[in-house]
């Protein structure tokens, strides 16, 4: 068996971007099928000062991932770096645009970042930007919000993702993640499928806890051209607040029959409240708390002492869409 790795000579008439392997006299070609690259974990904090009183400030701290696709094949297949916009340049762009452009809300900034790369580099075909925003919130001192002091409001992250390409494709999503919630009653799980592999007991009262990961995809009415106007209207911020409130309200108020049913209800309510959204996706781990048996000590345990199980956890995902039906 002889195996030969070699870049193709143009005289073979096969495209340079293929690698051929000679294997038992068969030529196996190995085309590059997908590729993308860029910078991840580019972090910055921007301060916005009130023009009438520069001591009154807002901050936004984000982590950005920006990946490019396009005419970069030769950098993989022929070690030709000439088309590569270095990841360092990608990082610089993220930071310079953070200074020159509006960063609030992140949907606007992410979209404008994708537009920038498409406008500046003709061989870039598509740009994928993901942003995570940290939960800095002003806190009260002497009964009112302090001008420039902030507290990190737990672990909750606001997110956005944008994909834009030269063919006019534009996908914008917003979301939240790592919003950790727990309810100590008002959650059930019974009537599930049972078989010879089942050990789980039915319950009409259990602890329910999860790290909410929710996202919503915007309708195509929102475009790179009108994203600034939509942002100025407050649509992205209001929707974030609405989705967060629906999530927390349903979690608290509903006597949950299952994670599945509760997340579906949350998603449909967000779709009802926000007409500009096409789909809502939830991804919820079911972080189990198991009742500890204290009967060996002659003690009952009426849902009071639980063991937080570190693993495994359930993981339940769904996307709910809006379907247009003809009027009855
Ligand atoms: N959904 C729940 O809400 N709880 C569960 C599941 C499930 O699918 N499986 N075990 N416990």
């Amino acid at each position: 068996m002889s195996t030969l790795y070699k870049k193709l000579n143009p005289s073979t008439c096969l495209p340079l971007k293929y690698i051929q392997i000679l294997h038992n006299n068969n030529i196996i070609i190995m085309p590059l099928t997908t590729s993308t690259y860029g910078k991840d974990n580019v972090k910055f904090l921007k301060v916005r000062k009130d023009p009438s009183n520069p001591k009154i400030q807002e901050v936004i701290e984000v982590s950005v991932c920006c990946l490019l696709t396009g005419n970069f094949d030769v950098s993989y297949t022929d070690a030709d770096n000439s088309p590569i916009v270095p990841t360092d340049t990608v990082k610089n762009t993220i930071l310079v645009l953070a200074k020159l452009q509006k960063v609030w809300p992140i949907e606007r900034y992410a979209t404008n970042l994708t537009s920038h790369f498409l406008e500046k580099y003709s061989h870039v075909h598509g740009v994928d930007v993901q942003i995570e925003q940290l939960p800095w919130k002003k806190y009260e001192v002497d009964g009112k919000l302090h001008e420039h002091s902030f507290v990190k409001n737990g672990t909750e992250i606001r997110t956005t993702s944008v994909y834009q390409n030269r063919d006019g494709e534009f996908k914008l999503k917003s979301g939240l993640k790592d919003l950790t919630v727990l309810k100590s009653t008002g959650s059930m799980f019974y009537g599930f499928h049972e078989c010879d592999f089942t050990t789980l007991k039915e319950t009409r009262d259990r602890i329910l806890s999860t790290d909410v990961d929710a996202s919503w995809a915007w309708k195509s009415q929102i475009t790179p051209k009108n994203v600034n106007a939509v942002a100025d209207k407050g649509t992205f911020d209001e929707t974030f607040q609405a989705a967060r409130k629906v999530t927390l309200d349903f979690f608290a108020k509903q006597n949950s029959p299952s994670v599945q049913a509760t997340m579906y209800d949350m998603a449909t309510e967000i779709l009802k409240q926000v007409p500009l959204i096409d789909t809502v996706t939830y991804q919820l781990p079911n972080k189990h708390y198991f009742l500890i048996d204290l009967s060996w000590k002659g003690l009952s345990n009426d849902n009071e002492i639980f063991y937080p199980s570190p693993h495994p956890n359930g993981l339940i995902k769904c996307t709910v869409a809006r379907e247009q039906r003809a009027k009855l």
Side-chain angles (χ1 to χ4, degrees), residues 188-189 200 206 208 256-260 286 288 316:
M188 311 176 284
F189 190 58
L200 187 69
R206 65 173 181 174
L208 183 60
S256 169
S258 66
V259 173
Q260 285 89 334
N286 189 3
H288 306 300
I316 298 157

Side-chain angles (χ1 to χ4, degrees), residues 78-125:
D78 294 82
D80 176 353
N81 289 345
S82 61
I84 297 180
V85 178
T87 68
D88 189 64
T89 305
V90 174
K91 179 257 300 171
N92 289 343
T93 305
I94 291 167
L95 298 176
V96 170
L97 294 201
K99 160 71 182 160
L100 298 178
Q101 299 195 354
K102 291 182 177 171
V103 177
W104 284 265
I106 51 177
E107 289 86 350
R108 173 215 305 268
Y109 172 70
T111 301
N112 291 334
L113 194 55
T114 60
S115 301
H116 170 90
F117 281 102
L118 292 173
E119 282 158 21
K120 191 166 178 73
Y121 306 102
S122 60
H123 64 297
V124 171
H125 179 72

Side-chain angles (χ1 to χ4, degrees), residues 111-250:
T111 301
N112 291 334
L113 194 55
T114 60
S115 301
H116 170 90
F117 281 102
L118 292 173
E119 282 158 21
K120 191 166 178 73
Y121 306 102
S122 60
H123 64 297
V124 171
H125 179 72
V127 189
D128 193 326
V129 168
Q130 319 246 3
I131 301 186
E132 297 189 354
Q133 178 183 347
L134 271 55
W136 290 117
K137 294 276 172 316
K138 283 189 171 170
Y139 65 90
E140 281 195 7
V141 177
D142 299 333
K144 61 177 186 5
L145 289 180
H146 195 261
E147 292 177 344
H148 48 252
S149 296
F150 304 83
V151 63
K152 206 184 261 179
N153 211 7
T155 54
E156 184 187 345
I157 301 282
R158 178 168 166 175
T159 62
T160 190
S161 70
V162 182
Y163 175 73
Q164 193 189 165
N165 72 23
R166 210 164 273 293
D167 297 335
E169 203 182 334
F170 177 64
K171 288 186 196 146
L172 174 61
K173 288 185 186 171
S174 304
L176 59 91
K177 66 173 199 174
D178 298 338
L179 172 64
T180 301
V181 287
L182 179 149
K183 66 193 300 191
S184 50
T185 187
S187 166
M188 311 176 284
F189 190 58
Y190 63 86
F192 46 82
H193 185 278
E194 294 195 43
C195 65
D196 54 337
F197 278 34
T198 308
T199 55
L200 187 69
K201 299 276 175 280
E202 294 191 332
T203 177
R204 277 154 173 83
D205 188 4
R206 65 173 181 174
I207 284 185
L208 183 60
S209 179
T210 190
D211 304 321
V212 178
D213 182 331
S215 62
W216 42 97
W218 295 93
K219 284 189 175 165
S220 55
Q221 280 158 263
I222 297 183
T223 68
K225 287 207 165 66
N226 68 16
V227 75
N228 289 304
V230 176
D232 288 339
K233 256 182 83 187
T235 306
F236 297 120
D237 291 339
E238 283 163 16
T239 301
F240 175 81
Q241 293 305 340
R244 186 179 187 278
K245 183 166 164 32
V246 166
T247 303
L248 292 176
D249 284 0
F250 273 66

